[in-house]
Amino acid sequence: MKILVTGHRGLVGSAILRRLKAKGYSDLLVKSHAELDLTDQSKVNAFFEQEKPECVFLAAAQVGGILANITYSADLIYSNLTIGANVVHASCKYGVKKLINLGSSCIYPRLAPQPMKEDYLLTGSLEPTNEAYAVAKIAIIKLCKYYNQQYGTNFISLMPTNQYGPNDNFNMETAHLLPMIMRRFHLAKLLSNGDFDSVRSDFAKHPLGYALPKNLNDNEAIEQLLNSIGAYRDKVIVWGNGSVYRELMHSDDLAEACVYIMENYDAKDIGELVNITAGDDIQLDSLYPIVKDIVGFAGAIEYNNNCSLNGMPRKLMDAAKIQSLGWRPKISLQNGIKNFYKWYSET
């Protein structure tokens, strides 16, 4: 089967690609953004007409954490609507046999009952800090649903919980929760050890999202920059007040679920969407010390108490449906974060 994995360099797409290869799939299509701009409908159609993929994983997206969602809301809604609409339409037009559309837990109402069941979609107001991204994702879920109804396509929408893993984004402006916090603890650890060479190496490997000092040999300027993003020799400052809850899943677990659904189920078996979740979560006040200990930072954790940066008070998705389909995640949070930090610090 010829399989197209969009967003193959990103967190989710790269995990799906690894899983497919591990399962023995070899006829795999991948294109970088420079090679195929998914926001360009004519280029997407030409690609599908030429390559004729039989299965598509729609993992390409413009994503970010709470700060990026607030700052780049217009970009997020436009690019994600356009990418999704182009890929779904081309998949229908050129006879794709199965499409797996990757959504997000942010599609659910801000104050939805916990845990959030699939049928809670569109039953209340969205979280304002990520409304633009959520609206785009909801639109593509509905697009898949109505293409299935009108054209008899086999398009499946999966809603993953918060992801982390290899090839994650560590940009301190646009990263999601765990990579942003982990990097902050890591930089604080290096700073506390006076290891500015390793700080400079970290900057070279991962964009910071902030302007670097003109002279990277100026240790004082580097320390001031790290302080400005919450990394100090003796403490790390985190956003909000630590009261909210989040579920976290390693991207390798998600990839296994995606390939499992691809191999075993069709849209008629799934319904409009299915949550990919373990069905448990953790309060950030408990998560941060775990990350701090795994990184090996000896300083304190301090909250900025800006509750506008808390986001949704809780985002726990219901796991009953995915469990009834025979799938459960395998990677524990503790082991997942350990492996994630090992990958980050050694890559």
Side-chain angles (χ1 to χ4, degrees):
M1 181 163 53
K2 182 182 279 191
I3 302 174
L4 169 63
V5 181
T6 69
H8 73 285
R9 291 180 172 175
L11 168 65
V12 173
S14 64
I16 292 172
L17 195 61
R18 288 195 302 274
R19 183 61 181 169
L20 289 168
K21 289 179 178 178
K23 293 276 289 182
Y25 292 95
S26 58
D27 198 357
L28 303 173
L29 292 171
V30 294
K31 292 289 181 182
S32 67
H33 175 74
E35 294 170 318
L36 177 61
D37 181 358
L38 294 175
T39 66
D40 188 322
Q41 187 180 51
S42 62
K43 291 180 180 178
V44 172
N45 285 340
F47 173 81
F48 272 73
E49 184 176 23
Q50 177 179 333
E51 297 292 345
K52 294 185 170 53
E54 298 168 85
C55 178
V56 173
F57 285 92
L58 180 45
Q62 182 177 347
V63 299
I66 189 167
L67 183 60
N69 276 291
I70 294 170
T71 307
Y72 306 112
S73 54
D75 294 343
L76 285 164
I77 192 169
Y78 172 78
S79 60
N80 288 298
L81 277 172
T82 308
I83 289 169
N86 287 344
V87 172
V88 169
H89 181 72
S91 295
C92 176
K93 185 175 182 179
Y94 296 102
V96 168
K97 295 176 182 177
K98 185 176 288 188
L99 178 142
I100 307 294
N101 168 44
L102 277 299
S104 167
S105 61
C106 72
I107 64 166
Y108 292 111
R110 182 177 191 276
L111 299 177
Q114 303 289 314
M116 300 181 293
K117 299 179 184 294
E118 287 84 353
D119 56 10
Y120 292 168
L121 181 66
L122 295 179
T123 58
S125 300
L126 298 168
E127 161 60 35
T129 58
N130 59 27
E131 182 183 77
Y133 180 74
V135 166
K137 287 298 183 180
I138 292 169
I140 305 308
I141 294 168
K142 293 298 183 181
L143 194 64
C144 290
K145 173 185 176 179
Y146 294 124
Y147 269 71
N148 288 345
Q149 287 183 5
Q150 184 172 342
Y151 297 108
T153 51
N154 190 13
F155 298 165
I156 298 169
S157 291
L158 307 182
M159 298 304 111
T161 190
N162 297 309
Q163 297 293 303
Y164 67 93
N167 299 313
D168 213 330
N169 170 27
F170 294 91
N171 183 303
M172 299 299 284
E173 266 195 317
T174 60
H176 284 111
L177 169 69
L178 186 54
M180 180 178 287
I181 292 301
M182 191 174 75
R183 189 178 191 189
R184 200 172 295 174
F185 281 121
H186 178 71
L187 291 171
K189 180 182 74 170
L190 298 180
L191 189 59
S192 68
N193 294 334
D195 189 356
F196 287 95
D197 286 342
S198 292
V199 173
R200 283 184 277 270
S201 176
D202 182 90
F203 290 169
K205 289 190 294 184
H206 302 285
L208 189 68
Y210 294 83
L212 297 177
K214 292 181 180 179
N215 179 10
L216 280 177
N217 292 318
D218 186 344
N219 292 346
E220 183 177 348
I222 287 178
E223 183 162 359
Q224 289 175 354
L225 172 62
L226 296 183
N227 291 170
S228 73
I229 60 173
Y232 292 80
R233 291 176 182 265
D234 60 345
K235 66 182 178 182
V236 162
I237 299 176
V238 295
W239 294 344
N241 60 9
S243 66
V244 301
Y245 289 78
R246 289 295 179 264
E247 183 183 1
L248 298 162
M249 178 183 287
H250 195 285
S251 57
D252 285 343
D253 269 336
L254 172 59
E256 184 188 56
C258 291
V259 176
Y260 176 80
I261 294 294
M262 180 200 79
E263 293 180 328
N264 295 286
Y265 293 98
D266 292 321
K268 61 182 175 59
D269 308 312
I270 299 295
E272 186 172 28
L273 69 151
V274 61
N275 294 335
I276 308 299
T277 174
D280 55 28
D281 59 6
I282 186 170
Q283 193 171 29
L284 296 193
D285 198 39
S286 298
L287 173 66
Y288 295 148
I290 293 173
V291 181
K292 179 177 97 98
D293 290 345
I294 288 172
V295 171
F297 176 61
I301 299 171
E302 183 177 305
Y303 294 94
N304 72 357
N305 288 311
N306 182 352
C307 293
S308 66
L309 295 174
N310 274 339
M312 288 177 66
R314 199 167 199 177
K315 292 176 67 176
L316 177 62
M317 297 199 300
D318 186 85
K321 189 171 181 178
I322 188 61
Q323 289 177 2
S324 74
L325 297 174
W327 182 86
R328 293 174 185 265
K330 297 180 176 66
I331 303 171
S332 70
L333 181 61
Q334 190 87 18
N335 287 337
I337 296 175
K338 284 181 181 177
N339 291 336
F340 185 36
Y341 182 61
K342 185 175 187 292
W343 177 88
Y344 170 77
S345 57
E346 294 181 356
T347 301

